[in-house]
Amino acid sequence: MQPHIIAVDLDGTLLDDNKNISLRNRAALAKVRELGHKVVIATGRPYRASEVYYKELFLDSPMVNFNGAFTHHPKDPSGFQTSHSPLDKGTAHSVIETCEAFRVQNIMVEVMDEYYLRYKNKGFAGAFTLGQSPVEYGNLAEILKVDPTSILVHPEDSNYRQLRDLLEDAHAEVIDQRSWGAPWNVIEIVKKGLSKAVGLKKISDYYGIPKERVIAFGDEDNDLEMLDYAGCGVAMANAIDELKSVSNEQTVTNEEDGVAAFLEDRFNI
C-alpha cells in the first residue's frame, strides 16, 4: 500500500475525556506507522500543550498548531520550512477591545509558546498554562507589543453566541474564529485564511503524498476544512453535525477509541 498521512485532532478525537491517549489508540497509530504511513497531529493547541502527546506517540513528523497559524517539525526544524502566520497587532487590539466590552471571563493571547493573560488564574486559563507563567497579565491592549499567533477568548456562556456574531460582523475580513466547544466554549481567533487544512497541505507537499491519500479525524468546527481537504475525512460520533455533513465516513466516539476502530478496519491491523 502506498503511504498515507493520518492526521489526528487531539481534544474530542484522539484524546479521551480525561485528555489521555488510550492504549488502543496508541497501538493502532504505532501499527500504521510500522506500515509506512505518516501520523500527524493537527490541533488548535499551542505546541507546549501538545508536545507531551507528540512525544508519547514517538512521532517524527511535522505538526499543525494553533489551527494552522503555526506548522513546524519538532524533530527537524531545519529540514522543514516552518510557517508562522500571526495576526496583525492592530487587529488584535481591536478584537481585545471588542471582547473587553463583553466583560469576558478571560482572554489569552498566544505569541508562539509564550502567552499573556487578561486575568490570572481565572476561567479556562489553567488548563493550557501547564505550569508556565504568563509573560504578563492585565490590560492586554497596553501590554501586547507584537503580532500574536492567536487569541483565545472565554466569554460568559450567556454571551457566547452574541460575541461570536459581533466579532464576525466587525472583523470578518481579517480574522477567522473557531469554537473549542465543551467544557469551556472558548473562541479561538487567528489570521484570516488559516485552518488546519493549510498546515496539512504543507505537510502533504513535504512528504509528496497527495490529498487523496490523507485520512483526517476530527470533531469540532476547527476541523471542517481539514476533513474537507482530506481524501477521507472521518468525523467522530461525538462530532458536531456540521462536521458530520462534510465527512466521508464516521467512526465511534473518542471515548470508544474511534480513531483506532477506524484504522484497525481500514488497514486490517
Side-chain angles (χ1 to χ4, degrees):
M1 182 180 289
Q2 291 182 299
H4 286 58
I5 289 175
I6 315 298
V8 289
D9 168 53
L10 290 177
D11 299 279
T13 301
L14 181 63
L15 305 185
D16 63 24
D17 291 347
N18 292 318
K19 307 303 179 186
N20 296 315
I21 303 175
S22 71
L23 290 174
R24 184 183 178 192
N25 276 342
R26 195 187 315 163
L29 291 175
K31 287 176 182 176
V32 295
R33 288 184 65 210
E34 289 174 3
L35 294 173
H37 306 301
K38 307 297 183 181
V39 174
V40 170
I41 290 174
T43 178
R45 290 177 177 230
Y47 179 56
R48 69 168 185 278
S50 51
E51 179 183 14
V52 62
Y53 303 115
Y54 185 91
K55 291 181 175 179
E56 182 178 342
L57 294 170
F58 298 100
L59 297 183
D60 57 1
S61 53
M63 69 186 301
V64 180
N65 290 108
F66 297 111
N67 287 322
F70 182 42
T71 304
H72 61 116
H73 197 317
K75 291 286 185 70
D76 188 14
S78 60
F80 179 85
Q81 187 172 359
T82 297
S83 175
H84 180 225
S85 303
L87 277 163
D88 173 74
K89 182 178 65 176
T91 299
H93 284 171
S94 181
V95 167
I96 290 166
E97 289 169 3
T98 300
C99 295
E100 289 281 11
F102 271 74
R103 297 182 181 178
V104 296
Q105 294 187 53
N106 214 340
I107 305 171
M108 177 185 284
V109 176
E110 302 269 8
V111 181
M112 297 293 279
D113 269 329
E114 295 184 333
Y115 70 94
Y116 302 77
L117 278 178
R118 178 65 179 95
Y119 302 108
K120 194 173 184 180
N121 301 324
K122 187 178 179 184
F124 74 105
F128 302 106
T129 58
L130 302 179
Q132 177 183 335
S133 298
V135 177
E136 290 186 65
Y137 66 93
N139 188 330
L140 294 172
E142 294 181 358
I143 292 170
L144 185 63
K145 307 295 185 185
V146 296
D147 296 342
T149 307
S150 73
I151 301 173
L152 301 179
V153 183
H154 188 188
E156 298 290 346
D157 289 346
S158 59
N159 291 335
Y160 173 78
R161 176 45 56 188
Q162 187 179 2
L163 178 56
R164 286 204 69 171
D165 290 345
L166 181 59
L167 289 169
E168 176 68 20
D169 291 342
H171 308 291
E173 294 183 358
V174 289
I175 69 168
D176 278 331
Q177 53 174 311
R178 311 293 182 191
S179 170
W180 280 44
W184 298 289
N185 286 327
V186 170
I187 303 167
E188 179 170 16
I189 297 161
V190 295
K191 184 179 179 180
K192 184 73 175 180
L194 294 177
S195 69
K196 292 181 182 181
V198 172
L200 190 54
K201 185 180 185 304
K202 294 180 188 298
I203 297 172
S204 298
D205 291 344
Y206 171 74
Y207 283 123
I209 295 176
K211 66 179 183 178
E212 290 76 21
R213 284 191 269 124
V214 174
I215 301 173
F217 296 85
D219 72 307
E220 268 290 350
D221 71 352
N222 63 344
D223 299 310
L224 282 164
E225 293 89 349
M226 179 171 73
L227 263 65
D228 190 49
Y229 166 80
C232 180
V234 185
M236 310 300 291
N238 52 286
I240 60 172
D241 290 340
E242 187 179 2
L243 192 72
K244 291 177 180 178
S245 72
V246 304
S247 67
N248 303 105
E249 301 197 41
Q250 295 181 27
T251 187
V252 293
T253 70
N254 63 315
E255 283 288 281
E256 300 170 289
D257 303 327
V259 171
F262 184 91
L263 293 176
E264 289 164 358
D265 180 67
R266 177 58 61 96
F267 295 103
N268 194 28
I269 56 176

